[in-house]
């Protein structure tokens, strides 16, 4: 993949720590935490919401411009 954003290259912070793998990456709009989506084995984005109550995560996949609100369970256009 040619020159991904620095934040994207980091990957899911919790997966990197535990040596896990992720499918897609999400970024918390409240604190900038990088976490993996619900298609990933560990679903860290959902866990981040449950532990912090930070409700909105956005996709950081190249070309994707949307976010997801866990409280309202709606997709948000970015
Ligand atoms: Zn993860
Ligand atoms: Zn957060």
């Amino acid at each position: 993949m040619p020159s991904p954003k620095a934040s994207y290259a980091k990957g899911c912070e919790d997966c990197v720590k535990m040596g896990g793998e992720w499918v897609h990456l999400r970024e918390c709009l409240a604190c900038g935490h990088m976490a993996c989506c619900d298609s990933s084995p560990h679903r860290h984005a959902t866990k981040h919401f449950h532990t912090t109550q930070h409700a909105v995560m956005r996709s950081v996949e190249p070309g994707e411009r949307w976010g997801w609100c866990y409280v309202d369970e709606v997709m948000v256009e970015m």
Side-chain angles (χ1 to χ4, degrees):
M1 192 177 298
S3 64
K5 289 194 310 184
S7 60
Y8 181 81
K10 259 177 20 180
C12 170
E13 294 174 12
D14 294 316
C15 282
V16 168
K17 269 184 222 158
M18 64 191 283
E21 294 188 349
W22 58 89
V23 179
H24 298 299
L25 278 178
R26 307 288 179 251
E27 178 182 33
C28 174
L29 289 192
C31 70
H33 181 80
M34 303 289 288
C36 53
C37 70
D38 281 357
S39 304
S40 307
H42 302 291
R43 302 181 179 189
H44 283 128
T46 300
K47 284 182 187 163
H48 183 68
F49 163 61
H50 286 148
T51 54
T52 63
Q53 302 301 306
H54 294 164
V56 184
M57 307 286 292
R58 75 176 179 97
S59 173
V60 288
E61 296 299 317
E64 293 189 6
R65 297 176 59 82
W66 56 268
W68 177 259
C69 176
Y70 285 97
V71 172
D72 297 325
E73 297 193 320
V74 290
M75 195 171 275
V76 189
E77 293 211 26
M78 309 295 288

